Amino acid sequence: EEIPTARPNLRKDLPDRIYKDEFSKWNAILEECKSISPIGQPILIGTTTVEKSEMLGQLLNENQLGYQILNARPENVRRESEIVAQAGKKGNITIATNMAG
């Protein structure tokens, strides 16, 4: 038995996107960020490794998109709570590694 929600569900379940290779996938993420960022919607991108988060950060940087990285690097530990607190603010792009936080 399903318990009804108090409000209608606003989430849109979109179909999965499958890419031929990693380059295509990262390029699609970049293009999505470029289209969403100007309207101010916050963006959260999850990665599976620290290396992938840093590679994506470099790609965003090359395209003049500001971002914050939340990963397991020691230099990020002190700023971790600040990064989390700012993640949902207008226009912010946050890259988080699964092992972070």
Side-chain angles (χ1 to χ4, degrees):
E1 182 178 340
E2 189 173 313
I3 299 172
T5 59
R7 297 183 194 174
N9 187 354
L10 300 177
R11 182 183 68 211
K12 293 180 189 174
D13 286 327
L14 302 174
D16 293 338
R17 296 182 192 174
I18 300 172
Y19 298 95
K20 185 171 147 179
D21 53 41
E22 290 258 335
F23 176 78
S24 299
K25 175 182 172 180
W26 295 118
N27 205 36
I29 292 169
L30 171 64
E31 292 305 317
E32 191 81 8
C33 288
K34 286 164 85 174
S35 69
I36 293 173
S37 189
I39 63 173
Q41 180 178 342
I43 302 169
L44 174 63
I45 305 166
T47 62
T48 55
T49 67
V50 171
E51 292 76 20
K52 287 180 181 179
S53 69
E54 291 176 343
M55 186 276 309
L56 181 57
Q58 183 177 354
L59 186 62
L60 293 174
N61 200 38
E62 288 169 5
N63 286 271
Q64 288 81 42
L65 290 172
Y67 62 91
Q68 295 291 321
I69 292 184
L70 181 61
N71 62 25
R73 293 267 188 227
E75 57 269 22
N76 294 333
V77 171
R78 275 197 265 169
R79 295 191 47 241
E80 191 171 293
S81 61
E82 179 187 332
I83 293 169
V84 170
Q86 299 299 316
K89 297 225 171 152
K90 186 174 182 172
N92 285 359
I93 300 175
T94 306
I95 304 168
T97 304
N98 290 347
M99 67 178 101

